[in-house]
């Protein structure tokens, strides 16, 4: 135990702590931009300066506490020193942090960069605008250290778009808006303006994160308010992507049973599909051809619901936690299924622009449905897809299912289990984070499994690149817990869902063949 004083208040720190950590334990906030507990420390932005008892100024993130240290975080001269780092006020690039930081800083472009021509690059999902870069290195560390991709160049601050998988990790960690999703709101507003019938579907993970944009605790469930906001904006139909997730389970489980090439990798995460196509095209035949729940929901709305309701000109919008879904909807194989993909953040921006009062929204509002409720909301958290498929198989073959992937507290990492179906042992794995999958592939260990779920974002979609940015990264777990709390049919499988029985009997026929194959399966670029 190390006795110190912060702002003249005696407190106790622990060996090895830096000043930032010691202050945080005492609930004393020290502003910073490049510091993030989930990324390796770099001491780049220089904003976390504090004054010591001897009058010197040090960076809190890279200075370890020492016995008797006197630390001042509220000295007014610090304000002037930090102002030297930034000039010319530009609050819009602070991306929601202005309330805490704009009192301290007047611009987020380092002085040495002013006047220099800067590069702006775009993919189908992400805008990389280096004119708003403060050189904190968060994006770089997220891309290489967390995701293991390395599409960003640290030295000249450029991006190699050929290497980028659109996962959005750089966006999640960017403290300004230098890295941001490519906005699709204008496309949606155009559809409204030309009189299209606009339907919206919400991904599982949006309902446990959207409320954060309106000041609610991380992991607050807001399904009803989310639906209600969409109706107020003029969306004619509001669907749940979870319905498509149930169909994905049906199709994927049946595909798995008949498939020769194993392991079967899930393909509902577009970041992972991009990864396979760019880095391991030889593994394309291992990807399930079952479409993602987003594409399946879109296909069923456009082909079945629209016909049943005699709707022409239907425009389908997806709202999800993911930046790479913007890539996915441009794939020629599914481009007729979904017309526009917004992030959770973009939808929150729309709520604000429509001046909708969050607190007065109806929290009991319910989804429209194609044929009934979808159940598998747990797709939104790491392990959800594999669990859905395992439960389906166990129910079909009358084997007791033991819940194994619930409450998995892993950030990145692999978890595995075995089930025995029809006398055969089947090995299932979940990969949380693309670097876990990359490791499995590089070591060829993937060949020892039968089914592998991969989610590019650590912890799955709840932690997608399009989600509200949160300062306490550890709280992402609250979103996963919330997803599992919503999953009210946890002991049942999609085989018990009468909506599935209805849609297959009434419309699709048998899984994996005929119309079901045509509408619910896809292919990839070799
Ligand atoms: Fe996801 Fe999925 S879970 S990919 O993370 O399979 O985006 O939430 O919508 O499609 O259901 C995202 C989330 C989402 C699909 C489903
Ligand atoms: Fe790297 Fe992902 Fe950002 Fe692309 S989107 S630059 S892969 S972190």
């Amino acid at each position: 135990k190390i006795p110190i004083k912060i702002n003249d208040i005696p407190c106790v720190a622990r060996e090895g702590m830096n000043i930032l950590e010691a202050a945080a334990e005492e609930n004393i906030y020290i502003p910073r931009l490049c510091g993030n507990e989930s990324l390796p420390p770099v001491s780049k932005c220089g904003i976390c300066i504090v004054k010591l008892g001897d009058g010197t100024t040090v960076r809190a993130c890279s200075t370890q506490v020492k016995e008797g240290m006197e630390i001042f975080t509220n000295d007014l001269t610090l304000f002037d020193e930090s102002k030297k780092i930034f000039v010319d006020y530009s609050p819009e690039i602070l991306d929601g942090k202005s309330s805490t930081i704009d009192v301290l800083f007047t611009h987020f472009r380092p002085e040495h960069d002013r006047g220099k021509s800067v590069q702006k690059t775009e993919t189908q999902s992400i805008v990389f605008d280096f004119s708003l870069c403060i050189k904190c290195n968060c994006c770089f560390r997220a891309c290489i250290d967390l995701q293991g991709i390395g599409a960003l160049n640290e030295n000249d601050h450029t991006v190699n778009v050929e290497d980028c998988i659109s996962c959005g990790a750089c966006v999640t960690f960017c403290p300004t808006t230098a890295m941001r999703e490519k906005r699709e709101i204008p496309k949606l507003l155009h559809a409204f303006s030309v009189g299209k019938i606009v339907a919206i579907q919400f991904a599982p993970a949006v309902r446990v994160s959207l409320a954060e944009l309106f000041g609610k605790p991380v992991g607050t469930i807001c399904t009803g308010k989310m639906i209600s906001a969409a109706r107020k904006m003029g969306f004619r139909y509001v669907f749940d992507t979870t319905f498509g997730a149930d169909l994905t389970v049906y199709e994927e489980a049946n595909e798995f049973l008949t498939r020769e090439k194993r392991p079967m990798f899930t393909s509902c995460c577009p970041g992972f599909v991009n990864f396979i196509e760019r880095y391991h095209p030889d593994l394309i035949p291992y990807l399930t051809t079952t479409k993602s729940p987003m594409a399946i929901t879109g296909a069923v709305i456009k082909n079945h619901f629209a016909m049943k309701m005699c709707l022409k000109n239907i425009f389908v919008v997806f709202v999800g936690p993911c930046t790479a879904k913007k890539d996915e909807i441009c794939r020629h194989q599914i481009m007729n299924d979904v017309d526009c993909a917004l992030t959770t953040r973009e939808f929150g921006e729309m709520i604000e622009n429509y001046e909708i009062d969050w607190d007065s929204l109806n929290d009991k509002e319910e989804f429209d449905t194609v044929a009934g409720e979808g159940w598998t909301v747990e797709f939104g958290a790491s392990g959800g897809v594999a669990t859905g498929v395992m439960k389906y198989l166990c129910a079909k073959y009358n084997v007791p299912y033991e819940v194994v992937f619930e409450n998995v507290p892993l950030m990145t990492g692999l978890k595995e289990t075995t089930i025995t179906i029809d006398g055969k042992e089947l090995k299932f794995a979940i990969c949380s984070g693309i670097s876990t999958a990359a490791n499995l592939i590089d070591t060829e260990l993937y060949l020892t499994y039968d089914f592998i779920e991969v989610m590019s974002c650590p912890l799955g979609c709840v932690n997608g690149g399009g989600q509200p940015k949160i300062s306490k990264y550890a709280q992402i777990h609250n979103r996963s817990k919330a997803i599992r709390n919503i999953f009210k049919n946890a002991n049942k499988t999609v085989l018990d869902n009468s909506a599935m029985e209805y849609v297959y009997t009434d419309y699709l026929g048998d899984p994996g063949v005929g119309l079901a194959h045509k509408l619910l399966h896809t292919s990839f670029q070799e």
Side-chain angles (χ1 to χ4, degrees):
K1 290 193 174 170
I2 303 179
I4 57 172
K5 271 188 184 173
I6 305 182
N7 300 335
D8 278 330
I9 302 166
C11 42
V12 178
R14 289 190 304 277
E15 189 73 43
M17 271 184 162
N18 61 41
I19 295 177
L20 205 57
E21 291 161 340
E25 291 236 325
E26 297 299 316
N27 286 325
I28 295 169
Y29 178 70
I30 300 177
R32 67 212 173 254
L33 286 174
C34 73
N36 191 302
E37 65 210 49
S38 299
L39 299 174
V42 283
S43 187
K44 277 271 177 183
C45 72
I47 288 166
C48 64
I49 46 174
V50 295
K51 198 157 238 180
L52 300 183
D54 62 5
T56 54
T57 303
V58 295
R59 293 185 180 193
C61 70
S62 55
T63 309
Q64 295 218 331
V65 289
K66 286 194 194 124
E67 190 170 339
M69 202 176 226
E70 287 189 300
I71 301 155
F72 300 93
T73 68
N74 53 6
D75 189 299
L76 273 185
T77 58
L78 293 171
F79 176 85
D80 292 331
E81 286 216 29
S82 48
K83 259 207 313 198
K84 284 187 207 145
I85 303 171
F86 302 102
V87 290
D88 303 337
Y89 190 55
S90 180
E92 68 276 11
I93 67 168
L94 290 177
D95 202 21
K97 291 201 171 59
S98 47
S99 55
T100 48
I101 301 184
D102 63 3
V103 282
L104 277 174
F105 310 115
T106 52
H107 183 45
F108 275 73
R109 194 185 305 176
E111 272 185 84
H112 59 268
D113 244 17
R114 276 181 299 135
K116 197 168 128 187
S117 68
V118 280
Q119 201 192 345
K120 188 168 165 186
T121 313
E122 285 184 9
T123 66
Q124 280 161 338
S125 301
I126 299 183
V127 177
F128 303 89
D129 183 352
F130 292 100
S131 73
L132 304 178
C133 175
I134 60 156
K135 307 232 185 304
C136 67
N137 263 18
C138 287
C139 61
F140 177 78
R141 285 176 287 151
C143 188
I144 187 74
D145 294 325
L146 195 63
Q147 300 293 69
I149 299 291
L152 292 161
N153 187 323
E154 187 185 15
N155 298 320
D156 60 5
H157 286 80
T158 53
V159 57
N160 186 350
V161 292
E162 300 296 314
D163 293 343
C164 170
I165 61 163
S166 295
C167 65
C170 51
V171 178
T172 299
F173 286 100
C174 178
T176 75
T177 50
M179 313 278 135
R180 56 185 184 269
E181 66 270 67
K182 197 164 168 183
R183 294 173 78 256
E184 291 193 34
I185 294 174
K187 199 163 145 191
L188 162 63
L189 297 181
H190 179 259
F192 274 132
S193 72
V194 296
K196 298 225 178 202
I197 293 168
V198 187
I200 192 168
Q201 51 160 315
F202 284 102
V206 181
R207 68 207 68 186
V208 295
S209 61
L210 182 65
E212 292 162 30
L213 295 171
F214 302 94
K216 308 300 171 206
V218 179
T220 300
I221 298 168
C222 65
T223 318
K225 284 184 186 287
M226 173 184 86
I227 300 167
S228 165
R231 293 219 171 95
K232 279 192 192 297
M233 288 176 202
F235 289 95
R236 183 84 70 85
Y237 300 102
V238 186
F239 294 109
D240 190 355
T241 308
T242 301
F243 181 78
D246 285 18
L247 284 167
T248 296
V249 169
Y250 251 86
E251 292 296 318
E252 213 158 295
N254 283 288
E255 182 186 343
F256 176 72
L257 289 170
T258 55
R259 185 174 246 269
E260 280 173 20
K261 252 201 183 337
R262 291 210 186 144
M264 183 168 90
F265 280 108
T266 57
S267 68
C268 50
C269 168
F272 177 56
V273 172
N274 288 342
F275 175 77
I276 290 292
E277 285 179 342
R278 281 169 180 61
Y279 296 95
H280 297 283
D282 51 314
L283 297 188
I284 288 174
Y286 292 87
L287 292 171
T288 171
T289 61
T290 301
K291 283 181 186 173
S292 70
M294 170 188 77
I296 286 186
T297 306
V300 174
I301 294 170
K302 288 212 177 178
N303 294 283
H304 179 51
F305 184 77
M307 231 164 23
K308 201 168 83 179
M309 307 290 285
C310 300
L311 304 172
K312 282 196 188 122
N313 254 337
I314 192 159
F315 185 92
V316 174
V317 178
F318 169 80
V319 179
C322 173
T323 45
K325 287 285 177 196
K326 290 175 187 284
D327 259 28
E328 187 183 338
I329 65 164
C330 296
R331 288 177 172 270
H332 71 88
Q333 299 93 334
I334 70 148
M335 66 193 309
N336 292 325
D337 298 336
V338 179
D339 301 291
C340 172
L342 304 178
T343 60
T344 308
R345 282 192 301 266
E346 282 176 287
F347 189 69
E349 182 187 322
M350 285 186 65
I351 294 176
E352 272 184 20
N353 290 347
Y354 276 74
E355 295 183 0
I356 294 169
D357 175 40
W358 178 262
D359 288 328
S360 51
L361 286 168
N362 175 9
D363 59 5
K364 300 276 181 303
E365 204 130 326
E366 292 189 357
F367 286 114
D368 296 296
T369 71
V370 173
E373 254 193 334
W375 286 2
T376 325
V377 72
E378 62 179 338
F379 262 50
S382 185
V385 185
T387 305
V389 170
M390 284 194 300
K391 277 192 197 165
Y392 179 100
L393 295 173
C394 289
K396 188 162 173 160
Y397 287 88
N398 221 1
V399 174
Y401 175 75
E402 204 184 307
V403 176
V404 278
F405 289 151
E406 279 203 12
N407 303 320
V408 180
L410 79 177
M411 184 57 95
T412 54
L414 182 107
K415 197 96 186 160
E416 60 176 52
T417 192
T418 303
I419 56 173
T420 304
I421 298 288
D422 215 9
K424 284 194 210 94
E425 243 195 21
L426 300 171
K427 233 173 135 186
F428 279 66
I430 57 168
C431 289
S432 170
I434 199 70
S435 57
T436 308
N439 190 34
L440 203 63
I441 291 169
D442 290 345
T443 55
E444 301 209 336
L445 278 173
Y446 72 99
L447 290 166
T448 61
Y449 294 95
D450 294 286
F451 184 104
I452 304 176
E453 174 200 300
V454 181
M455 290 293 164
S456 302
C457 300
L459 290 184
C461 288
V462 286
N463 184 25
Q467 291 284 63
K469 298 182 185 184
I470 60 178
S471 52
K472 286 232 173 278
Y473 204 63
Q475 291 182 345
I476 301 280
H477 288 289
N478 296 359
R479 294 182 186 159
S480 309
K481 279 186 215 145
I483 284 252
R484 295 194 165 104
N485 283 341
I486 297 176
F487 192 43
K488 47 186 180 289
N489 296 306
N491 298 323
K492 295 187 177 174
T493 75
V494 293
L495 280 165
D496 302 308
N497 186 350
S498 57
M500 290 298 109
E501 197 187 324
Y502 174 81
V503 79
Y504 275 108
T505 314
D506 184 53
Y507 180 59
L508 292 168
D510 289 326
V513 292
L515 188 59
H517 189 268
K518 186 168 167 238
L519 281 186
L520 311 184
H521 287 256
T522 187
S523 59
F524 305 99
Q525 267 109 35
E526 301 254 3

